[in-house]
Amino acid sequence: MGRPERPVDPRAGAVQRFAHELRVLREAAGKPTYRVMAGRAGFSVSVLAQAASGERLPSLAVVLAYAQACGADPAEWELRWKTAADEAADEEAAARAEEKAQQAPYRGWCGSSPVTTGCSSAATGLWRSCRIWCTSTGSRWCSVRPAAGSPPCCGPG
């Protein structure tokens, strides 16, 4: 008997949801071992186990072989895979956009989180007010400078 699979949260994203669906398919097929499935599918045990791990989206070829090894309709699983691939790409693009939005526009700038850089609560409040004003006016750049002699809000970036 092999190691038990780690749990996959289908609410964690498209890749995890798809892995969960593959596991449900395998359960419905009588939970054949990955060794048995590998004999049917033409892929290794590790490739098939990785497909249902939720770490990354498996290739379409692996999914189709996995589905056939479980007695499922490959056409249905091709559609499911394409849907999951589209959703995963959208999630990745959104994560990249969010990461880019959080980056500082130039070296030394706080970026979007002055709280984590050790700003005082007054500086943090001023920064938030400035950001809200900049956003509401459509301005792309705002500048908040500390009073003369005050330590800078942001460290070198």
Side-chain angles (χ1 to χ4, degrees), residues 61-150:
V62 170
V63 170
L64 296 178
Y66 192 108
Q68 284 182 321
C70 292
D73 177 21
E76 175 191 345
W77 283 90
E78 181 174 358
L79 181 61
R80 285 182 182 220
W81 180 85
K82 287 179 179 179
T83 301
D86 289 345
E87 289 174 4
D90 290 346
E91 289 170 1
E92 189 175 320
R96 275 196 309 266
E98 177 65 26
E99 184 178 306
K100 187 173 181 177
Q102 296 298 320
Q103 290 177 348
Y106 58 87
R107 187 173 175 87
W109 175 252
C110 285
S112 60
S113 183
V115 176
T116 61
T117 61
C119 294
S120 68
S121 60
T124 300
L126 177 61
W127 182 89
R128 286 187 181 131
S129 297
C130 180
R131 183 159 187 191
I132 291 168
W133 178 82
C134 286
T135 303
S136 67
T137 61
S139 176
R140 182 154 185 224
W141 299 101
C142 285
S143 178
V144 178
R145 297 176 181 253
S150 299

